[in-house]
PDB file of all heavy atoms in Angstrom:
ATOM      1  N   ASP X  92      51.759 -60.990 -68.494  1.00 98.00           N
ATOM      2  CA  ASP X  92      51.918 -61.745 -69.753  1.00 98.00           C
ATOM      3  C   ASP X  92      53.353 -61.984 -70.051  1.00 98.00           C
ATOM      4  O   ASP X  92      54.399 -61.280 -69.521  1.00 98.00           O
ATOM      5  CB  ASP X  92      51.175 -61.151 -70.999  1.00 98.00           C
ATOM      6  CG  ASP X  92      51.979 -59.905 -71.513  1.00 98.00           C
ATOM      7  OD1 ASP X  92      53.016 -60.068 -72.115  1.00 98.00           O
ATOM      8  OD2 ASP X  92      51.513 -58.712 -71.315  1.00 98.00           O
ATOM      9  N   HIS X  93      53.743 -62.896 -70.991  1.00 98.00           N
ATOM     10  CA  HIS X  93      55.034 -63.410 -71.213  1.00 98.00           C
ATOM     11  C   HIS X  93      55.998 -62.370 -71.684  1.00 98.00           C
ATOM     12  O   HIS X  93      57.297 -62.626 -71.850  1.00 98.00           O
ATOM     13  CB  HIS X  93      55.052 -64.715 -71.991  1.00 98.00           C
ATOM     14  CG  HIS X  93      56.043 -65.641 -71.535  1.00 98.00           C
ATOM     15  ND1 HIS X  93      55.929 -66.963 -72.064  1.00 98.00           N
ATOM     16  CD2 HIS X  93      57.230 -65.545 -70.959  1.00 98.00           C
ATOM     17  CE1 HIS X  93      57.119 -67.673 -71.530  1.00 98.00           C
ATOM     18  NE2 HIS X  93      57.878 -66.823 -70.810  1.00 98.00           N
ATOM     19  N   SER X  94      55.460 -61.115 -72.226  1.00 98.00           N
ATOM     20  CA  SER X  94      56.433 -60.135 -72.733  1.00 98.00           C
ATOM     21  C   SER X  94      57.346 -59.659 -71.631  1.00 98.00           C
ATOM     22  O   SER X  94      58.452 -59.217 -71.826  1.00 98.00           O
ATOM     23  CB  SER X  94      55.665 -59.046 -73.539  1.00 98.00           C
ATOM     24  OG  SER X  94      54.911 -58.379 -72.431  1.00 98.00           O
ATOM     25  N   ALA X  96      59.294 -61.415 -69.933  1.00 98.00           N
ATOM     26  CA  ALA X  96      60.470 -62.099 -70.060  1.00 98.00           C
ATOM     27  C   ALA X  96      61.573 -61.279 -70.590  1.00 98.00           C
ATOM     28  O   ALA X  96      62.753 -61.390 -70.318  1.00 98.00           O
ATOM     29  CB  ALA X  96      60.244 -63.428 -70.916  1.00 98.00           C
ATOM     30  N   TRP X 117      62.915 -72.383 -71.596  1.00 98.00           N
ATOM     31  CA  TRP X 117      61.745 -71.755 -71.971  1.00 98.00           C
ATOM     32  C   TRP X 117      60.695 -72.954 -71.858  1.00 98.00           C
ATOM     33  O   TRP X 117      60.612 -73.672 -72.792  1.00 98.00           O
ATOM     34  CB  TRP X 117      61.738 -71.078 -73.218  1.00 98.00           C
ATOM     35  CG  TRP X 117      60.694 -70.094 -73.609  1.00 98.00           C
ATOM     36  CD1 TRP X 117      59.597 -70.407 -74.143  1.00 98.00           C
ATOM     37  CD2 TRP X 117      60.754 -68.669 -73.447  1.00 98.00           C
ATOM     38  NE1 TRP X 117      58.702 -69.275 -74.255  1.00 98.00           N
ATOM     39  CE2 TRP X 117      59.569 -68.130 -73.789  1.00 98.00           C
ATOM     40  CE3 TRP X 117      61.690 -67.739 -72.796  1.00 98.00           C
ATOM     41  CZ2 TRP X 117      59.103 -66.819 -73.799  1.00 98.00           C
ATOM     42  CZ3 TRP X 117      61.296 -66.455 -72.796  1.00 98.00           C
ATOM     43  CH2 TRP X 117      60.071 -65.917 -73.244  1.00 98.00           C
ATOM     44  N   ILE X 118      59.814 -72.909 -70.945  1.00 98.00           N
ATOM     45  CA  ILE X 118      58.800 -74.017 -70.801  1.00 98.00           C
ATOM     46  C   ILE X 118      57.500 -73.396 -71.194  1.00 98.00           C
ATOM     47  O   ILE X 118      56.902 -72.479 -70.413  1.00 98.00           O
ATOM     48  CB  ILE X 118      58.861 -74.540 -69.342  1.00 98.00           C
ATOM     49  CG1 ILE X 118      60.192 -75.011 -68.973  1.00 98.00           C
ATOM     50  CG2 ILE X 118      57.792 -75.719 -69.215  1.00 98.00           C
ATOM     51  CD1 ILE X 118      60.267 -75.496 -67.538  1.00 98.00           C
ATOM     52  N   ASP X 119      56.897 -73.894 -72.301  1.00 98.00           N
ATOM     53  CA  ASP X 119      55.830 -73.100 -72.881  1.00 98.00           C
ATOM     54  C   ASP X 119      55.059 -73.944 -73.976  1.00 98.00           C
ATOM     55  O   ASP X 119      55.719 -74.806 -74.688  1.00 98.00           O
ATOM     56  CB  ASP X 119      56.365 -71.905 -73.571  1.00 98.00           C
ATOM     57  CG  ASP X 119      55.452 -70.803 -73.946  1.00 98.00           C
ATOM     58  OD1 ASP X 119      54.225 -71.120 -74.355  1.00 98.00           O
ATOM     59  OD2 ASP X 119      55.796 -69.627 -73.673  1.00 98.00           O
ATOM     60  N   ALA X 120      53.661 -73.890 -74.108  1.00 98.00           N
ATOM     61  CA  ALA X 120      53.089 -74.604 -75.183  1.00 98.00           C
ATOM     62  C   ALA X 120      53.355 -73.959 -76.490  1.00 98.00           C
ATOM     63  O   ALA X 120      53.253 -74.589 -77.657  1.00 98.00           O
ATOM     64  CB  ALA X 120      51.615 -74.438 -75.080  1.00 98.00           C
ATOM     65  N   HIS X 121      53.991 -72.695 -76.390  1.00 98.00           N
ATOM     66  CA  HIS X 121      54.159 -71.988 -77.763  1.00 98.00           C
ATOM     67  C   HIS X 121      55.686 -71.670 -77.806  1.00 98.00           C
ATOM     68  O   HIS X 121      56.519 -71.903 -76.981  1.00 98.00           O
ATOM     69  CB  HIS X 121      53.420 -70.653 -77.804  1.00 98.00           C
ATOM     70  CG  HIS X 121      51.902 -70.806 -77.591  1.00 98.00           C
ATOM     71  ND1 HIS X 121      51.422 -70.813 -76.131  1.00 98.00           N
ATOM     72  CD2 HIS X 121      50.936 -71.003 -78.288  1.00 98.00           C
ATOM     73  CE1 HIS X 121      50.098 -71.022 -76.348  1.00 98.00           C
ATOM     74  NE2 HIS X 121      49.736 -71.125 -77.558  1.00 98.00           N
ATOM     75  N   MET X 122      56.103 -71.194 -79.066  1.00 98.00           N
ATOM     76  CA  MET X 122      57.511 -70.720 -79.226  1.00 98.00           C
ATOM     77  C   MET X 122      57.839 -69.298 -78.795  1.00 98.00           C
ATOM     78  O   MET X 122      58.975 -69.106 -78.667  1.00 98.00           O
ATOM     79  CB  MET X 122      57.932 -70.981 -80.688  1.00 98.00           C
ATOM     80  CG  MET X 122      57.874 -72.489 -81.113  1.00 98.00           C
ATOM     81  SD  MET X 122      58.322 -72.654 -82.787  1.00 98.00           S
ATOM     82  CE  MET X 122      58.743 -74.472 -82.851  1.00 98.00           C
ATOM     83  N   ASP X 123      56.846 -68.516 -78.882  1.00 98.00           N
ATOM     84  CA  ASP X 123      56.992 -67.004 -78.563  1.00 98.00           C
ATOM     85  C   ASP X 123      58.166 -66.452 -79.340  1.00 98.00           C
ATOM     86  O   ASP X 123      58.977 -65.557 -78.809  1.00 98.00           O
ATOM     87  CB  ASP X 123      57.256 -66.888 -77.064  1.00 98.00           C
ATOM     88  CG  ASP X 123      56.030 -67.248 -76.114  1.00 98.00           C
ATOM     89  OD1 ASP X 123      55.033 -67.531 -76.830  1.00 98.00           O
ATOM     90  OD2 ASP X 123      56.116 -67.061 -74.930  1.00 98.00           O
ATOM     91  N   HIS X 136      53.400 -60.889 -76.492  1.00 98.00           N
ATOM     92  CA  HIS X 136      53.738 -62.030 -75.758  1.00 98.00           C
ATOM     93  C   HIS X 136      54.081 -63.193 -76.623  1.00 98.00           C
ATOM     94  O   HIS X 136      54.494 -64.327 -76.122  1.00 98.00           O
ATOM     95  CB  HIS X 136      52.703 -62.383 -74.664  1.00 98.00           C
ATOM     96  CG  HIS X 136      51.325 -62.866 -75.135  1.00 98.00           C
ATOM     97  ND1 HIS X 136      50.451 -63.535 -74.458  1.00 98.00           N
ATOM     98  CD2 HIS X 136      50.953 -62.831 -76.420  1.00 98.00           C
ATOM     99  CE1 HIS X 136      49.427 -63.833 -75.137  1.00 98.00           C
ATOM    100  NE2 HIS X 136      49.569 -63.327 -76.368  1.00 98.00           N
ATOM    101  N   GLY X 137      53.861 -62.991 -77.995  1.00 97.00           N
ATOM    102  CA  GLY X 137      54.377 -64.055 -78.787  1.00 97.00           C
ATOM    103  C   GLY X 137      55.661 -63.800 -79.432  1.00 97.00           C
ATOM    104  O   GLY X 137      56.199 -64.545 -80.367  1.00 97.00           O
ATOM    105  N   MET X 138      56.454 -62.870 -78.900  1.00 98.00           N
ATOM    106  CA  MET X 138      57.689 -62.390 -79.421  1.00 98.00           C
ATOM    107  C   MET X 138      58.930 -62.456 -78.473  1.00 98.00           C
ATOM    108  O   MET X 138      59.937 -62.171 -78.933  1.00 98.00           O
ATOM    109  CB  MET X 138      57.503 -60.990 -79.962  1.00 98.00           C
ATOM    110  CG  MET X 138      56.374 -60.777 -80.888  1.00 98.00           C
ATOM    111  SD  MET X 138      56.383 -59.049 -81.460  1.00 98.00           S
ATOM    112  CE  MET X 138      54.773 -58.941 -82.244  1.00 98.00           C
ATOM    113  N   PRO X 139      58.631 -62.628 -77.139  1.00 98.00           N
ATOM    114  CA  PRO X 139      59.772 -62.375 -76.262  1.00 98.00           C
ATOM    115  C   PRO X 139      61.082 -63.274 -76.516  1.00 98.00           C
ATOM    116  O   PRO X 139      62.111 -62.697 -76.328  1.00 98.00           O
ATOM    117  CB  PRO X 139      59.241 -62.590 -74.820  1.00 98.00           C
ATOM    118  CG  PRO X 139      58.090 -63.453 -75.091  1.00 98.00           C
ATOM    119  CD  PRO X 139      57.594 -62.968 -76.432  1.00 98.00           C
ATOM    120  N   LEU X 140      60.932 -64.465 -76.772  1.00 98.00           N
ATOM    121  CA  LEU X 140      62.123 -65.266 -77.057  1.00 98.00           C
ATOM    122  C   LEU X 140      63.012 -64.778 -78.190  1.00 98.00           C
ATOM    123  O   LEU X 140      64.146 -64.755 -78.264  1.00 98.00           O
ATOM    124  CB  LEU X 140      61.888 -66.728 -77.187  1.00 98.00           C
ATOM    125  CG  LEU X 140      62.956 -67.701 -77.123  1.00 98.00           C
ATOM    126  CD1 LEU X 140      63.932 -67.458 -75.994  1.00 98.00           C
ATOM    127  CD2 LEU X 140      62.580 -69.173 -77.208  1.00 98.00           C
ATOM    128  N   SER X 221      62.007 -69.907 -67.468  1.00 98.00           N
ATOM    129  CA  SER X 221      60.838 -69.166 -67.717  1.00 98.00           C
ATOM    130  C   SER X 221      59.628 -70.094 -68.033  1.00 98.00           C
ATOM    131  O   SER X 221      59.702 -70.907 -68.918  1.00 98.00           O
ATOM    132  CB  SER X 221      61.092 -68.192 -68.974  1.00 98.00           C
ATOM    133  OG  SER X 221      59.937 -67.440 -69.217  1.00 98.00           O
ATOM    134  N   ILE X 222      58.705 -70.034 -67.193  1.00 98.00           N
ATOM    135  CA  ILE X 222      57.573 -71.036 -67.098  1.00 98.00           C
ATOM    136  C   ILE X 222      56.245 -70.188 -67.632  1.00 98.00           C
ATOM    137  O   ILE X 222      55.825 -69.404 -66.940  1.00 98.00           O
ATOM    138  CB  ILE X 222      57.262 -71.756 -65.897  1.00 98.00           C
ATOM    139  CG1 ILE X 222      58.515 -72.405 -65.483  1.00 98.00           C
ATOM    140  CG2 ILE X 222      56.138 -72.666 -65.958  1.00 98.00           C
ATOM    141  CD1 ILE X 222      58.491 -73.064 -64.034  1.00 98.00           C
ATOM    142  N   ASP X 223      55.686 -70.478 -68.847  1.00 98.00           N
ATOM    143  CA  ASP X 223      54.444 -70.079 -69.133  1.00 98.00           C
ATOM    144  C   ASP X 223      53.468 -71.261 -68.757  1.00 98.00           C
ATOM    145  O   ASP X 223      53.520 -72.236 -69.213  1.00 98.00           O
ATOM    146  CB  ASP X 223      54.376 -69.887 -70.776  1.00 98.00           C
ATOM    147  CG  ASP X 223      53.099 -69.142 -71.176  1.00 98.00           C
ATOM    148  OD1 ASP X 223      52.020 -69.512 -70.651  1.00 98.00           O
ATOM    149  OD2 ASP X 223      53.232 -68.458 -72.168  1.00 98.00           O
ATOM    150  N   LEU X 224      52.506 -70.754 -67.901  1.00 98.00           N
ATOM    151  CA  LEU X 224      51.554 -71.811 -67.314  1.00 98.00           C
ATOM    152  C   LEU X 224      50.747 -72.365 -68.419  1.00 98.00           C
ATOM    153  O   LEU X 224      50.084 -73.492 -68.165  1.00 98.00           O
ATOM    154  CB  LEU X 224      50.699 -70.987 -66.445  1.00 98.00           C
ATOM    155  CG  LEU X 224      51.435 -70.592 -65.076  1.00 98.00           C
ATOM    156  CD1 LEU X 224      50.584 -69.518 -64.198  1.00 98.00           C
ATOM    157  CD2 LEU X 224      51.580 -71.713 -64.227  1.00 98.00           C
ATOM    158  N   ASP X 225      50.685 -71.889 -69.656  1.00 98.00           N
ATOM    159  CA  ASP X 225      49.978 -72.623 -70.641  1.00 98.00           C
ATOM    160  C   ASP X 225      50.562 -73.871 -71.082  1.00 98.00           C
ATOM    161  O   ASP X 225      49.989 -74.634 -71.912  1.00 98.00           O
ATOM    162  CB  ASP X 225      49.521 -71.654 -71.875  1.00 98.00           C
ATOM    163  CG  ASP X 225      50.751 -71.300 -72.732  1.00 98.00           C
ATOM    164  OD1 ASP X 225      51.729 -71.940 -72.784  1.00 98.00           O
ATOM    165  OD2 ASP X 225      50.514 -70.147 -73.394  1.00 98.00           O
ATOM    166  N   VAL X 226      51.856 -74.165 -70.690  1.00 98.00           N
ATOM    167  CA  VAL X 226      52.408 -75.454 -70.949  1.00 98.00           C
ATOM    168  C   VAL X 226      51.761 -76.526 -70.181  1.00 98.00           C
ATOM    169  O   VAL X 226      51.771 -77.779 -70.550  1.00 98.00           O
ATOM    170  CB  VAL X 226      53.995 -75.382 -70.569  1.00 98.00           C
ATOM    171  CG1 VAL X 226      54.039 -75.651 -68.955  1.00 98.00           C
ATOM    172  CG2 VAL X 226      54.711 -76.490 -71.255  1.00 98.00           C
ATOM    173  N   THR X 237      45.688 -68.511 -73.360  1.00 95.00           N
ATOM    174  CA  THR X 237      45.778 -69.359 -74.687  1.00 95.00           C
ATOM    175  C   THR X 237      46.064 -70.838 -74.363  1.00 95.00           C
ATOM    176  O   THR X 237      47.252 -71.275 -74.594  1.00 95.00           O
ATOM    177  CB  THR X 237      46.972 -68.763 -75.488  1.00 95.00           C
ATOM    178  OG1 THR X 237      48.105 -68.560 -74.830  1.00 95.00           O
ATOM    179  CG2 THR X 237      46.565 -67.423 -76.166  1.00 95.00           C
ATOM    180  N   VAL X 267      54.606 -67.067 -65.711  1.00 98.00           N
ATOM    181  CA  VAL X 267      53.725 -66.022 -66.432  1.00 98.00           C
ATOM    182  C   VAL X 267      52.377 -66.541 -66.824  1.00 98.00           C
ATOM    183  O   VAL X 267      52.167 -67.829 -66.859  1.00 98.00           O
ATOM    184  CB  VAL X 267      54.616 -65.286 -67.423  1.00 98.00           C
ATOM    185  CG1 VAL X 267      55.851 -64.921 -67.025  1.00 98.00           C
ATOM    186  CG2 VAL X 267      54.839 -66.439 -68.621  1.00 98.00           C
ATOM    187  N   GLU X 268      51.668 -65.522 -67.403  1.00 98.00           N
ATOM    188  CA  GLU X 268      50.364 -65.822 -68.006  1.00 98.00           C
ATOM    189  C   GLU X 268      49.238 -66.219 -66.998  1.00 98.00           C
ATOM    190  O   GLU X 268      48.273 -66.840 -67.592  1.00 98.00           O
ATOM    191  CB  GLU X 268      50.446 -66.615 -69.233  1.00 98.00           C
ATOM    192  CG  GLU X 268      51.464 -66.077 -70.307  1.00 98.00           C
ATOM    193  CD  GLU X 268      50.777 -65.080 -71.202  1.00 98.00           C
ATOM    194  OE1 GLU X 268      49.542 -64.835 -71.112  1.00 98.00           O
ATOM    195  OE2 GLU X 268      51.484 -64.347 -71.966  1.00 98.00           O
TER     196      GLU X 268
HETATM  197 MN1   MN Y 301      54.571 -67.772 -73.611  1.00 76.89          MN
END
Side-chain angles (χ1 to χ4, degrees):
D92 75 73
H93 214 165
S94 67
W117 193 274
I118 306 179
D119 200 318
H121 307 90
M122 290 178 166
D123 292 359
H136 70 164
M138 309 179 192
L140 187 52
S221 183
I222 302 171
D223 188 323
L224 290 162
D225 69 25
V226 80
T237 50
V267 302
E268 295 282 349

